[in-house]
Amino acid sequence: MSDLPLTERGRLLSELASTLATLPTDRAQTWRLGEAMRLMLGADGVAITLEYLSDNRVTLCASNDVAAALESLQEVLGQGPGYEAATHDVVVVAHLDGEADQRWPMLAQTLQSRYGPLTVYAVPVHANGGLGGVATLHNGHRQPLAEPDDRVVFLANAIGAALVTDAAGHPEGPLQSGDGWSSRSLVHQATGMVMAQVRVTPDDALALLRGHAYALATDIDDVAERVVSRSINFSNFDVEGD
C-alpha cells in the first residue's frame, strides 16, 4: 500500500484517467496504460513486463524500439536494472553509458553503441499481494523523470493492479469479494458509469476501478459500490477514506 497522502493518490489517478481519455482507442489497452505512464512521468519510452523472473515472463508493452531492445537484451543476458528491481523489490536507477555504471558492462556497451547513453528506471510492479513484474522507463542520459520515486512507484503499482487478469485471462479479472453474479454485475454497472464520466473505453474504465482499489487498499467490488452510490465520481474526484 502506498504511503502517499490520499490527495496525491487522487491527483495521480485523476491524471491517469484524463491521460487515458486522450489516447487512441484502436490501440491495445496494455499499450494505452504504458503510454499513459510514459506521458505522465515524462519518459522517452516504457516497457512493462510481468512475471519477470519466471519462465512465463511476458512483455505486455514496449513503447519504442529502445524499450523493446532494453527488455530483450536483459532477458538474453539475464541481468540488468530490471532483474535487480525484480530480485530485490527496489527501484533501480542506472546511467548506462558504458562508463558511469559498471554493474552490467555488456548491457551498457551494447545499448550505448546502438542508442547512445541512457538513464533507465526499473520499478517493481505489485499485484495480488506480490511482485507481479517490472516497469522499465528510459530517458536521455541523466534526464530525470517528471515525478519523484514515491509517485513513480504508486503509478506503476496502480497500473499493475489494472493489468491483473484471472487465470483464464478474462479482462474482468477475479472477483475479490462479493457473491458471484450480483458482484460482477455491480462492477459492470460501475464500469459503464466511469466510461460516461471520463469518456474512456470499457477496458480503461475497468483499469481505473482497479487502480482506485489499489489506492484505497481495498477490492474492486468496494470501489464499484462507491461509484454506483455516487460517492466516487471519476470526472472530478478525490480518493476517499482509507
Side-chain angles (χ1 to χ4, degrees):
M1 178 61 199
S2 173
D3 293 328
L4 282 180
L6 285 170
T7 53
E8 188 59 25
R9 288 179 247 166
R11 179 187 72 80
L12 289 168
L13 287 172
S14 182
E15 186 177 346
L16 176 59
S18 61
T19 303
L20 284 171
T22 69
L23 298 176
T25 58
D26 60 343
R27 299 295 299 268
Q29 187 204 23
T30 51
W31 179 87
R32 292 196 304 275
L33 287 168
E35 183 67 2
M37 182 180 189
R38 184 190 74 79
L39 291 169
M40 290 174 64
L41 296 179
D44 292 340
V46 63
I48 299 175
T49 297
L50 298 187
E51 300 195 48
Y52 204 95
L53 300 176
S54 85
D55 292 337
N56 297 320
R57 170 190 172 117
V58 57
T59 297
L60 297 180
C61 68
S63 63
N64 57 23
D65 290 345
V66 180
L70 184 54
E71 292 304 287
S72 178
L73 283 168
Q74 289 186 97
E75 185 172 14
V76 169
L77 296 172
Q79 60 178 247
Y83 274 90
E84 185 166 326
T87 301
H88 300 292
D89 198 7
V90 294
V91 176
V92 177
V93 180
H95 303 296
L96 301 181
D97 61 1
E99 297 179 2
D101 197 319
Q102 295 298 317
R103 287 174 288 182
W104 314 286
M106 187 174 295
L107 175 66
Q109 289 166 12
T110 303
L111 289 169
Q112 162 77 6
S113 67
R114 293 184 186 178
Y115 306 110
L118 299 172
T119 295
V120 175
Y121 304 82
V123 185
V125 173
H126 298 87
N128 288 337
L131 182 69
V134 175
T136 304
L137 303 109
H138 69 267
N139 262 340
H141 195 38
R142 298 189 181 277
Q143 180 181 341
L145 296 177
E147 298 279 0
D149 280 0
D150 54 352
R151 290 159 177 77
V152 172
V153 169
F154 172 82
L155 185 60
N157 282 283
I159 288 175
L163 288 169
V164 171
T165 59
D166 65 10
H170 299 307
E172 288 91 342
L175 290 175
Q176 313 230 348
S177 65
D179 54 359
W181 172 252
S182 62
S183 178
R184 191 171 292 277
S185 179
L186 189 69
V187 171
H188 285 180
Q189 184 179 353
T191 298
M193 293 178 67
V194 174
M195 289 171 61
Q197 289 167 5
V198 289
R199 300 180 185 277
V200 293
T201 67
D203 284 348
D204 289 348
L206 186 60
L208 290 169
L209 291 173
R210 289 193 180 283
H212 203 110
Y214 167 74
L216 293 179
T218 186
D219 56 54
I220 194 170
D221 297 346
D222 178 49
V223 173
E225 185 175 357
R226 299 192 201 193
V227 170
V228 171
S229 68
R230 303 183 188 280
S231 63
I232 293 176
N233 186 320
F234 277 72
S235 63
N236 182 19
F237 72 90
D238 294 318
V239 176
E240 301 182 354
D242 280 328

